[in-house]
């Protein structure tokens, strides 16, 4: 083999290895985007005074529950990745269902439950469309929740491969919590 052929083969080999690492990094980034956002949601919520009281994950679905003791309110955030495969993410984006719920502890839960019973029953029929606010109650804790599902592109919250736009994330979650709080207060007549 001549030096030229050897140099060409080595250049091709180096190019294949570099391309493999680039694709590997892209696949890894795609599968970790929802995890990265979950961490950012936890950090930004704790910075705003919420205490993380529950956390669950099944890989592509993550559930977070926060408590704000002073106001007797709760925040529930669920992230369900719809694009775990890179092929899907390239076609539709890194879409996820983002479910946000805001809950208030009510002292007269049984009265409130009767008042919103029809709405709670309708919530048992899973809302498959984004933007629909439903009301639910947790009899064991006495909390009533208003919740909504939004269809989001997780890339909208990234400023780089592993960098989160915390201000945007906080603003979006804060706006949803504000609206759900207002809705729930209006619904409960408070």
């Amino acid at each position: 083999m001549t030096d030229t052929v050897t140099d060409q083969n080595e250049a091709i080999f180096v190019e294949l290895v570099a391309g493999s690492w680039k694709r590997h990094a892209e696949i890894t980034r795609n599968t970790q985007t929802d995890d990265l956002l979950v961490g950012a949601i936890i950090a930004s919520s704790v910075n705003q005074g919420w205490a993380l009281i529950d956390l669950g994950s099944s890989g592509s679905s993550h559930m977070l529950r926060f408590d704000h003791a002073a106001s007797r309110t709760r925040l529930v955030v669920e992230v369900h990745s719809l694009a775990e495969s890179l092929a899907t993410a390239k076609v539709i984006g890194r879409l996820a269902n983002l479910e946000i719920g805001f809950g208030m502890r009510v002292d007269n839960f049984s009265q409130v439950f009767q008042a919103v019973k029809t709405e709670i029953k309708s919530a048992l029929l899973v809302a498959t469309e984004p933007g629909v606010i439903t009301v639910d109650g947790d009899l064991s804790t006495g909390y009533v929740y208003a919740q909504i599902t939004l269809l989001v592109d997780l890339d909208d919250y990234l400023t780089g491969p592993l960098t989160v736009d915390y201000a945007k994330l906080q603003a979006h979650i804060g706006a949803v919590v504000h609206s759900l709080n207002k809705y729930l207060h209006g619904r409960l007549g408070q």
Side-chain angles (χ1 to χ4, degrees), residues 73-84:
T73 57
R74 293 221 170 136
L75 171 64
V76 178
V77 180
E78 295 185 35
V79 179
H80 305 280
S81 177
L82 302 175
E84 282 292 300

Side-chain angles (χ1 to χ4, degrees), residues 108-141:
N108 54 348
F109 185 81
S110 59
Q111 289 176 336
V112 170
F113 182 79
Q114 290 301 321
V116 295
K117 193 175 190 178
T118 309
E119 200 164 343
I120 290 173
K121 282 183 183 176
S122 70
L124 296 176
L125 304 170
V126 178
T128 57
E129 297 174 343
V132 177
I133 296 175
T134 58
V135 175
D136 199 358
D138 183 352
L139 186 59
S140 65
T141 61

Side-chain angles (χ1 to χ4, degrees), residues 23-40:
R23 289 179 188 91
H24 175 73
E26 192 175 12
I27 290 167
T28 301
R29 177 179 178 243
N30 184 66
T31 59
Q32 293 177 344
T33 301
D34 57 333
D35 299 330
L36 179 66
L37 263 296
V38 166

Side-chain angles (χ1 to χ4, degrees), residues 24-25 36 40 43 46 49 59 87-88 106 111 125 140-141 155 160 168 179-180:
H24 175 73
L36 179 66
V46 169
T88 303
V106 291
Q111 289 176 336
L125 304 170
S140 65
T141 61
D155 282 338
K168 184 175 188 177
S179 295
L180 292 177

Side-chain angles (χ1 to χ4, degrees), residues 54-178:
D54 195 11
L55 170 65
S57 180
S58 68
S60 62
S61 292
H62 313 277
M63 189 281 300
L64 311 165
R65 192 165 41 139
F66 300 90
D67 183 71
H68 194 277
S71 63
R72 295 177 26 154
T73 57
R74 293 221 170 136
L75 171 64
V76 178
V77 180
E78 295 185 35
V79 179
H80 305 280
S81 177
L82 302 175
E84 282 292 300
S85 83
L86 184 57
T88 303
K90 284 189 173 210
V91 173
I92 65 171
R94 288 186 181 84
L95 296 183
N97 278 328
L98 181 63
E99 296 176 24
I100 301 175
F102 175 79
M104 297 173 35
R105 183 163 171 79
V106 291
D107 294 325
N108 54 348
F109 185 81
S110 59
Q111 289 176 336
V112 170
F113 182 79
Q114 290 301 321
V116 295
K117 193 175 190 178
T118 309
E119 200 164 343
I120 290 173
K121 282 183 183 176
S122 70
L124 296 176
L125 304 170
V126 178
T128 57
E129 297 174 343
V132 177
I133 296 175
T134 58
V135 175
D136 199 358
D138 183 352
L139 186 59
S140 65
T141 61
Y143 279 84
V144 176
Y145 291 88
Q147 53 206 22
I148 190 167
T149 299
L150 302 169
L151 186 58
V152 299
D153 188 335
L154 298 179
D155 282 338
D156 290 345
Y157 299 101
L158 301 178
T159 57
L162 295 173
T163 309
V164 176
D165 184 343
Y166 281 94
K168 184 175 188 177
L169 182 65
Q170 284 180 343
H172 285 191
I173 292 176
V176 172
V177 168
H178 170 79

Side-chain angles (χ1 to χ4, degrees), residues 3-16:
D3 286 342
T4 304
V5 172
T6 301
D7 289 345
Q8 288 174 340
N9 284 333
E10 288 177 2
I12 291 170
F13 175 75
V14 168
E15 186 178 311
L16 288 169

